[in-house]
Amino acid sequence: AYDMLMQDLTAQVEQASADRSSKAEIKAKKLQAKADAQGDLTDTTTTKEADEKYLSDLTGTCTQKASDFEMRQQLRAEELEAIQKAIEILSSSSVSGHAETYLPSLAQKASALAQLRAAGSAPQQLQQQRAADYLAVQGRELKSHVLSALATKITADPFAKVK
């Protein structure tokens, strides 16, 4: 009976040692899994924060670009209004009368272009100068390089080298 009891107790000790080793191994695996999960959580949190910062920067940039676009659109509308006003000045009765007088003869006599341009009608040049001055003023007020360049182009004499 003693041998059987001893054998039973020895078997229990061996089983308890095996169970302890198995449980220690499971615990080590669980601790490793917890450490991995903690590392993944840290990585995910860092990535999320970086993505949120990128989103806020991108939203700010898009908002800035949208407002810049609106300002450019408004500037273009003002430029178009100034050009329309210049067209009205050029289309006024004092200018349109000269256009009807000189343009048909210009179309018929292409060789007379240099003489017509050299002689130039004073009222037409006055109206052209008024339109150029108006465009230059509007270009300065609106800070528009396009209107300023247009005013410069109107006042420039393309036949200066020919005369």
Side-chain angles (χ1 to χ4, degrees), residues 28-153:
K29 287 180 181 178
K30 285 185 179 183
L31 286 175
Q32 182 63 37
K34 179 185 176 193
D36 291 344
Q38 196 71 24
D40 289 347
L41 177 65
T42 304
D43 290 346
T44 304
T45 304
T46 305
T47 303
K48 180 183 176 232
E49 290 171 356
D51 288 347
E52 286 174 345
K53 183 181 182 309
Y54 175 73
L55 176 65
S56 94
D57 291 348
L58 188 62
T59 303
T61 302
C62 287
T63 303
Q64 179 64 36
K65 286 187 179 194
S67 68
D68 290 348
F69 177 77
E70 290 298 322
M71 287 174 38
R72 286 192 306 272
Q73 288 294 94
Q74 181 181 1
L75 179 64
R76 297 302 175 258
E78 291 169 352
E79 287 174 348
L80 288 174
E81 184 179 318
I83 290 173
Q84 185 62 35
K85 180 71 176 171
I87 290 172
E88 288 175 15
I89 290 171
L90 291 174
S91 301
S92 68
S93 60
S94 61
V95 175
S96 66
H98 294 289
E100 292 168 0
T101 303
Y102 294 109
L103 286 181
S105 65
L106 181 64
Q108 293 171 0
K109 300 175 186 175
S111 63
L113 179 61
Q115 290 83 9
L116 179 64
R117 191 73 174 156
S121 64
Q124 183 180 8
Q125 287 178 346
L126 180 65
Q127 290 296 327
Q128 187 176 6
Q129 187 59 42
R130 267 185 59 206
D133 291 343
Y134 177 77
L135 287 173
V137 167
Q138 290 299 315
R140 281 192 298 274
E141 285 179 9
L142 299 174
K143 294 181 179 137
S144 170
H145 298 292
V146 175
L147 287 178
S148 299
L150 183 61
T152 304
K153 198 169 198 169

